[in-house]
Amino acid sequence: MTLAAPGPAATPTAPDGKGAGPLLRAWRERRRVSQLELALRADSSARHISFVETGRARPSEEMVLRLAEHLDVPVRERNALLLAAGYAPHYPETPLDDPALDALRDGMERLIQGYEPYPALVVDATYTVVAANRGIAMLLEGVPESLLAPAPNAMRLTLHPDGLAPRIRNLREWRGHLLAQMERQIALHRSAALRELYEEVAAYPAPAGLGAGEPAEPSEASEPVVYFALPMRIEHAGRVLSFVSSISTFNTPMDVTVAELAIETFLPADPATAKYLNSLVS
């Protein structure tokens, strides 16, 4: 799969007519930071923070950005704070297919291709797949075209009864892991689109049989494996392959689109899986 433009993500807005204060207070409470602690971090005073949160004082653009940084507010929501305070957005949202991101797209393509034969993909804030390598394509063999086009969604592909779910041998555990991951993202980003996706995939019925979590033996006899992280154990071509996933994001992004991209790589969780994947390219 090649890079495609990600779908639109919802932008949180401030309560009508209430400015940035309620949003800042909500972020501070979510981070469990007191007004005094935030004031010390931002070189301000607890009194000023209180005035900002209650609307008695209008924060400067610099102060909004400073408070957002110390509260670890996501880039998209920093723009929402600025808009609520009456300022223009600070961070651009460049379309992924814009020439300005040519180097980024090329770098991500090279990265996930270089990871082959192990699976790797790039997703946006709502888990739309914007790039994937041949390792992912291998796992998706046999998945209906309706789930693959026009913009495949990683959560839908994994948990849909017509997707990978029937092949995942520890579906209960893996499904719980994915839903918990989405819950954390919803709490962080407050995205209506992400909430809608969560409600959809959480309602999928679990497939009967092995996909519902019944134990299965690997196709090759081997010693019991002590996994170092929760694996996804998935059947492929009569074998049970085991992977653990790792997610990478960009450090200090200055663009909304870039901030919401994530690269997920799947590392073989046992020697049999690594041997099989490497045999495909030898």
Side-chain angles (χ1 to χ4, degrees):
M1 295 182 185
T2 56
L3 283 165
T11 302
T13 57
D16 291 343
K18 294 186 178 180
L23 283 177
L24 284 167
R25 181 175 64 248
W27 281 111
R28 180 180 59 77
E29 292 174 348
R30 184 171 300 166
R31 298 297 188 233
R32 299 182 180 181
V33 176
S34 69
Q35 289 180 341
L36 177 58
E37 184 178 355
L38 179 58
L40 291 173
R41 293 181 185 179
D43 193 24
S44 183
S45 68
R47 184 170 181 266
H48 182 60
I49 298 297
S50 176
F51 279 18
V52 167
E53 291 185 353
T54 58
R56 296 177 64 183
R58 182 192 183 208
S60 67
E61 181 178 7
E62 179 186 1
M63 177 58 74
V64 172
L65 290 171
R66 192 187 313 163
L67 294 175
E69 179 180 359
H70 288 291
L71 291 172
D72 195 25
V73 176
V75 171
R76 180 180 293 275
E77 281 71 25
R78 295 187 193 192
N79 277 347
L81 283 170
L82 288 167
L83 285 169
Y87 303 108
H90 181 75
Y91 301 94
E93 185 172 358
T94 309
L96 191 56
D97 58 358
D98 191 286
L101 296 185
D102 282 350
L104 173 73
R105 294 195 308 274
D106 182 66
M108 290 192 299
E109 286 279 12
R110 289 176 178 272
L111 181 63
I112 63 175
Q113 289 174 9
Y115 198 70
E116 293 173 357
Y118 305 156
L121 73 164
V122 183
V123 298
D124 67 9
T126 55
Y127 296 96
T128 298
V129 179
V130 297
N133 68 4
R134 287 179 292 183
I136 292 292
M138 175 197 70
L139 294 181
L140 294 177
E141 291 172 0
V143 170
E145 186 64 27
S146 59
L147 289 176
L148 295 173
N153 183 278
M155 290 297 179
R156 195 173 288 121
L157 284 168
T158 304
L159 298 178
H160 196 284
D162 294 331
L164 297 180
R167 310 177 195 175
I168 299 176
R169 297 302 180 96
N170 59 335
L171 180 60
R172 289 192 184 95
E173 294 84 356
W174 194 250
R175 177 180 181 274
H177 155 69
L178 293 182
L179 293 180
Q181 176 181 309
M182 293 184 73
E183 289 169 357
R184 290 192 295 271
Q185 290 299 104
I186 290 169
L188 180 63
H189 294 286
R190 302 176 301 164
S191 165
L194 193 56
R195 167 60 67 179
E196 182 178 351
L197 175 66
Y198 174 87
E199 292 174 352
E200 175 192 335
V201 299
Y204 289 157
L210 291 175
E214 295 180 9
E217 292 300 321
S219 57
E220 294 185 4
S222 60
E223 294 296 324
V225 175
V226 179
Y227 294 111
F228 49 88
L230 177 68
M232 177 182 70
R233 302 185 64 242
I234 184 169
E235 184 178 354
H236 173 74
R239 299 171 177 267
V240 177
L241 306 178
S242 296
F243 298 96
V244 292
S245 70
S246 174
I247 298 176
S248 302
T249 57
F250 289 92
N251 183 45
T252 317
M254 302 299 293
D255 186 284
V256 173
T257 299
V258 177
E260 295 180 345
L261 293 175
I263 302 170
E264 184 166 14
T265 54
F266 291 84
L267 183 70
D270 56 43
T273 298
K275 179 180 177 182
Y276 173 68
L277 293 175
N278 284 299
S279 73
L280 298 178
V281 295
S282 61

